[in-house]
Short mmCIF file of all heavy atoms in Angstrom, two decimals:
data_model
loop_
_atom_site.label_atom_id
_atom_site.label_comp_id
_atom_site.label_asym_id
_atom_site.label_seq_id
_atom_site.Cartn_x
_atom_site.Cartn_y
_atom_site.Cartn_z
N LEU B 361 21.26 -26.86 -150.28
CA LEU B 361 22.08 -26.29 -151.35
C LEU B 361 22.94 -27.37 -151.99
O LEU B 361 23.07 -27.47 -153.21
CB LEU B 361 22.98 -25.18 -150.80
CG LEU B 361 22.37 -23.80 -150.72
CD1 LEU B 361 23.36 -22.84 -150.09
CD2 LEU B 361 22.03 -23.31 -152.13
N ARG B 362 23.53 -28.13 -151.12
CA ARG B 362 24.40 -29.16 -151.62
C ARG B 362 23.63 -30.16 -152.49
O ARG B 362 24.08 -30.59 -153.56
CB ARG B 362 25.06 -29.90 -150.45
CG ARG B 362 26.43 -30.38 -150.81
CD ARG B 362 27.09 -30.98 -149.60
NE ARG B 362 27.39 -29.97 -148.62
CZ ARG B 362 27.10 -30.09 -147.34
NH1 ARG B 362 26.46 -31.17 -146.90
NH2 ARG B 362 27.42 -29.15 -146.50
N ALA B 363 22.48 -30.43 -151.98
CA ALA B 363 21.64 -31.37 -152.74
C ALA B 363 21.30 -30.79 -154.11
O ALA B 363 21.36 -31.50 -155.14
CB ALA B 363 20.37 -31.66 -151.95
N LEU B 364 21.01 -29.48 -154.04
CA LEU B 364 20.67 -28.80 -155.29
C LEU B 364 21.86 -28.86 -156.25
O LEU B 364 21.72 -29.20 -157.44
CB LEU B 364 20.30 -27.36 -155.02
CG LEU B 364 18.81 -27.07 -154.79
CD1 LEU B 364 18.63 -25.59 -154.50
CD2 LEU B 364 18.00 -27.46 -156.01
N ALA B 365 23.02 -28.53 -155.66
CA ALA B 365 24.21 -28.51 -156.49
C ALA B 365 24.48 -29.89 -157.07
O ALA B 365 24.80 -30.04 -158.26
CB ALA B 365 25.40 -28.05 -155.65
N GLN B 366 24.32 -30.83 -156.22
CA GLN B 366 24.54 -32.20 -156.63
C GLN B 366 23.61 -32.56 -157.77
O GLN B 366 24.00 -33.17 -158.77
CB GLN B 366 24.29 -33.12 -155.42
CG GLN B 366 24.66 -34.54 -155.67
CD GLN B 366 26.18 -34.70 -155.59
OE1 GLN B 366 26.89 -33.85 -155.05
NE2 GLN B 366 26.68 -35.76 -156.20
N LYS B 367 22.41 -32.10 -157.54
CA LYS B 367 21.38 -32.42 -158.52
C LYS B 367 21.74 -31.79 -159.87
O LYS B 367 21.70 -32.44 -160.93
CB LYS B 367 20.04 -31.86 -158.02
CG LYS B 367 18.83 -32.55 -158.63
CD LYS B 367 17.57 -31.95 -157.99
CE LYS B 367 16.39 -32.13 -158.92
NZ LYS B 367 15.30 -31.31 -158.43
N ALA B 368 22.11 -30.49 -159.72
CA ALA B 368 22.44 -29.78 -160.95
C ALA B 368 23.63 -30.44 -161.64
O ALA B 368 23.63 -30.64 -162.86
CB ALA B 368 22.80 -28.32 -160.62
N ARG B 369 24.61 -30.77 -160.83
CA ARG B 369 25.78 -31.40 -161.38
C ARG B 369 25.42 -32.70 -162.07
O ARG B 369 25.82 -32.98 -163.20
CB ARG B 369 26.78 -31.67 -160.25
CG ARG B 369 28.12 -31.05 -160.54
CD ARG B 369 29.04 -31.39 -159.40
NE ARG B 369 28.71 -30.62 -158.23
CZ ARG B 369 28.88 -31.05 -156.98
NH1 ARG B 369 29.30 -32.27 -156.75
NH2 ARG B 369 28.58 -30.28 -155.99
N SER B 370 24.64 -33.45 -161.39
CA SER B 370 24.30 -34.76 -161.95
C SER B 370 23.46 -34.59 -163.20
O SER B 370 23.57 -35.35 -164.16
CB SER B 370 23.54 -35.58 -160.91
OG SER B 370 22.34 -34.93 -160.61
N GLU B 371 22.65 -33.53 -163.14
CA GLU B 371 21.82 -33.28 -164.31
C GLU B 371 22.70 -32.96 -165.51
O GLU B 371 22.50 -33.43 -166.63
CB GLU B 371 20.87 -32.11 -164.05
CG GLU B 371 19.49 -32.56 -163.66
CD GLU B 371 18.63 -31.40 -163.35
OE1 GLU B 371 18.92 -30.28 -163.77
OE2 GLU B 371 17.63 -31.61 -162.64
N ARG B 372 23.67 -32.06 -165.14
CA ARG B 372 24.54 -31.64 -166.23
C ARG B 372 25.41 -32.79 -166.74
O ARG B 372 25.57 -33.01 -167.91
CB ARG B 372 25.45 -30.50 -165.75
CG ARG B 372 25.70 -29.58 -166.89
CD ARG B 372 26.37 -28.33 -166.49
NE ARG B 372 26.88 -28.29 -165.15
CZ ARG B 372 27.74 -27.35 -164.77
NH1 ARG B 372 28.15 -26.45 -165.60
NH2 ARG B 372 28.20 -27.32 -163.56
N THR B 373 26.01 -33.44 -165.83
CA THR B 373 26.94 -34.48 -166.25
C THR B 373 26.27 -35.80 -166.51
O THR B 373 26.79 -36.63 -167.29
CB THR B 373 28.01 -34.67 -165.19
OG1 THR B 373 27.38 -35.02 -163.96
CG2 THR B 373 28.84 -33.42 -165.01
N GLY B 374 25.19 -36.01 -165.86
CA GLY B 374 24.52 -37.28 -165.99
C GLY B 374 25.20 -38.39 -165.23
O GLY B 374 24.92 -39.57 -165.38
N ALA B 375 26.19 -37.97 -164.46
CA ALA B 375 26.90 -38.97 -163.65
C ALA B 375 26.06 -39.39 -162.44
O ALA B 375 25.06 -38.80 -162.15
CB ALA B 375 28.22 -38.37 -163.17
N ALA B 376 26.61 -40.34 -161.80
CA ALA B 376 25.86 -40.86 -160.66
C ALA B 376 25.85 -39.85 -159.51
O ALA B 376 26.90 -39.34 -159.15
CB ALA B 376 26.51 -42.18 -160.19
N PRO B 377 24.76 -39.51 -159.06
CA PRO B 377 24.68 -38.55 -157.97
C PRO B 377 24.96 -39.13 -156.60
O PRO B 377 24.92 -38.45 -155.62
CB PRO B 377 23.22 -38.05 -158.04
CG PRO B 377 22.47 -39.19 -158.66
CD PRO B 377 23.43 -40.06 -159.44
N ALA B 378 25.23 -40.40 -156.62
CA ALA B 378 25.33 -41.06 -155.32
C ALA B 378 26.49 -40.53 -154.49
O ALA B 378 26.40 -40.43 -153.29
CB ALA B 378 25.52 -42.58 -155.55
N ALA B 379 27.60 -40.14 -155.21
CA ALA B 379 28.78 -39.71 -154.47
C ALA B 379 28.49 -38.49 -153.63
O ALA B 379 28.90 -38.42 -152.48
CB ALA B 379 29.90 -39.40 -155.44
N ALA B 380 27.82 -37.53 -154.24
CA ALA B 380 27.52 -36.31 -153.49
C ALA B 380 26.58 -36.59 -152.33
O ALA B 380 26.73 -36.04 -151.25
CB ALA B 380 26.90 -35.27 -154.43
N VAL B 381 25.68 -37.44 -152.57
CA VAL B 381 24.72 -37.75 -151.51
C VAL B 381 25.41 -38.44 -150.35
O VAL B 381 25.12 -38.19 -149.19
CB VAL B 381 23.59 -38.65 -152.08
CG1 VAL B 381 22.68 -39.13 -150.98
CG2 VAL B 381 22.84 -37.91 -153.15
N SER B 382 26.43 -39.21 -150.67
CA SER B 382 27.09 -39.95 -149.60
C SER B 382 28.08 -39.09 -148.82
O SER B 382 28.71 -39.56 -147.91
CB SER B 382 27.83 -41.16 -150.21
OG SER B 382 28.89 -40.70 -151.01
N MET B 383 28.19 -37.80 -149.25
CA MET B 383 29.16 -36.94 -148.54
C MET B 383 28.79 -36.76 -147.07
O MET B 383 27.63 -36.55 -146.76
CB MET B 383 29.19 -35.58 -149.23
CG MET B 383 30.30 -35.60 -150.23
SD MET B 383 30.83 -34.01 -150.82
CE MET B 383 29.58 -32.93 -150.57
N PRO B 384 29.81 -36.86 -146.25
CA PRO B 384 29.47 -36.65 -144.82
C PRO B 384 29.07 -35.19 -144.54
O PRO B 384 29.48 -34.28 -145.23
CB PRO B 384 30.78 -37.01 -144.11
CG PRO B 384 31.85 -36.84 -145.14
CD PRO B 384 31.24 -37.10 -146.47
N SER B 385 28.32 -35.08 -143.49
CA SER B 385 27.74 -33.75 -143.20
C SER B 385 28.80 -32.78 -142.69
O SER B 385 28.68 -31.58 -142.83
CB SER B 385 26.63 -33.87 -142.16
OG SER B 385 27.16 -34.36 -140.96
N ASP B 386 29.84 -33.31 -142.09
CA ASP B 386 30.83 -32.40 -141.51
C ASP B 386 31.64 -31.69 -142.57
O ASP B 386 32.35 -30.76 -142.27
CB ASP B 386 31.75 -33.16 -140.53
CG ASP B 386 32.40 -34.34 -141.18
OD1 ASP B 386 32.08 -34.59 -142.36
OD2 ASP B 386 33.23 -34.98 -140.53
N ARG B 387 31.52 -32.09 -143.73
CA ARG B 387 32.26 -31.42 -144.78
C ARG B 387 31.52 -30.19 -145.28
O ARG B 387 31.99 -29.47 -146.15
CB ARG B 387 32.49 -32.38 -145.95
CG ARG B 387 33.55 -33.42 -145.61
CD ARG B 387 34.23 -33.90 -146.82
NE ARG B 387 34.89 -32.82 -147.52
CZ ARG B 387 35.55 -33.05 -148.66
NH1 ARG B 387 35.57 -34.23 -149.20
NH2 ARG B 387 36.16 -32.07 -149.26
N SER B 388 30.41 -29.94 -144.70
CA SER B 388 29.60 -28.82 -145.18
C SER B 388 30.26 -27.49 -144.91
O SER B 388 29.95 -26.50 -145.53
CB SER B 388 28.22 -28.86 -144.52
OG SER B 388 28.40 -28.74 -143.12
N MET B 389 31.12 -27.47 -143.91
CA MET B 389 31.72 -26.21 -143.55
C MET B 389 32.94 -25.88 -144.42
O MET B 389 33.64 -24.91 -144.18
CB MET B 389 32.17 -26.24 -142.07
CG MET B 389 31.05 -26.49 -141.10
SD MET B 389 29.79 -25.26 -141.22
CE MET B 389 30.57 -23.95 -140.33
N MET B 390 33.21 -26.67 -145.35
CA MET B 390 34.41 -26.46 -146.15
C MET B 390 34.32 -25.23 -147.02
O MET B 390 33.24 -24.69 -147.25
CB MET B 390 34.63 -27.68 -147.04
CG MET B 390 35.33 -28.82 -146.30
SD MET B 390 35.42 -30.26 -147.33
CE MET B 390 36.61 -29.73 -148.54
N ASP B 391 35.47 -24.78 -147.42
CA ASP B 391 35.53 -23.56 -148.23
C ASP B 391 34.84 -23.75 -149.58
O ASP B 391 34.62 -24.85 -150.03
CB ASP B 391 37.00 -23.20 -148.48
CG ASP B 391 37.51 -22.25 -147.45
OD1 ASP B 391 36.67 -21.84 -146.57
OD2 ASP B 391 38.70 -21.91 -147.50
N VAL B 392 34.56 -22.56 -150.08
CA VAL B 392 33.95 -22.59 -151.42
C VAL B 392 34.96 -23.16 -152.43
O VAL B 392 34.61 -23.86 -153.36
CB VAL B 392 33.51 -21.19 -151.83
CG1 VAL B 392 32.75 -21.22 -153.14
CG2 VAL B 392 32.65 -20.59 -150.72
N ASP B 393 36.24 -22.86 -152.13
CA ASP B 393 37.27 -23.31 -153.03
C ASP B 393 37.33 -24.82 -153.06
O ASP B 393 37.50 -25.44 -154.11
CB ASP B 393 38.62 -22.73 -152.60
CG ASP B 393 38.63 -21.24 -152.72
OD1 ASP B 393 38.11 -20.73 -153.73
OD2 ASP B 393 39.11 -20.59 -151.80
N ASP B 394 37.20 -25.33 -151.83
CA ASP B 394 37.20 -26.79 -151.75
C ASP B 394 36.01 -27.35 -152.49
O ASP B 394 36.09 -28.37 -153.17
CB ASP B 394 37.15 -27.25 -150.29
CG ASP B 394 38.43 -26.81 -149.60
OD1 ASP B 394 39.41 -26.54 -150.31
OD2 ASP B 394 38.42 -26.72 -148.35
N MET B 395 34.94 -26.64 -152.26
CA MET B 395 33.74 -27.05 -153.00
C MET B 395 34.01 -27.00 -154.49
O MET B 395 33.67 -27.90 -155.24
CB MET B 395 32.58 -26.09 -152.66
CG MET B 395 32.04 -26.25 -151.26
SD MET B 395 30.90 -27.59 -151.14
CE MET B 395 29.48 -26.83 -151.84
N GLY B 396 34.66 -25.87 -154.78
CA GLY B 396 34.99 -25.72 -156.19
C GLY B 396 35.87 -26.87 -156.67
O GLY B 396 35.69 -27.41 -157.76
N GLY B 397 36.84 -27.22 -155.80
CA GLY B 397 37.71 -28.33 -156.11
C GLY B 397 36.92 -29.61 -156.34
O GLY B 397 37.16 -30.37 -157.29
N ASP B 398 35.98 -29.75 -155.46
CA ASP B 398 35.09 -30.89 -155.57
C ASP B 398 34.34 -30.87 -156.88
O ASP B 398 34.07 -31.89 -157.52
CB ASP B 398 34.09 -30.86 -154.41
CG ASP B 398 34.53 -31.84 -153.35
OD1 ASP B 398 35.46 -32.60 -153.64
OD2 ASP B 398 33.96 -31.83 -152.23
#
Side-chain angles (χ1 to χ4, degrees):
Chain B
L361 274 177
R362 212 175 292 132
L364 268 179
Q366 188 78 17
K367 202 177 156 193
R369 235 181 286 149
S370 63
E371 261 177 20
R372 213 170 10 165
T373 58
V381 173
S382 67
M383 266 196 338
S385 62
D386 55 356
R387 286 207 60 181
S388 61
M389 300 301 282
M390 278 174 71
D391 267 357
V392 186
D393 296 318
D394 295 341
M395 289 279 282
D398 258 351

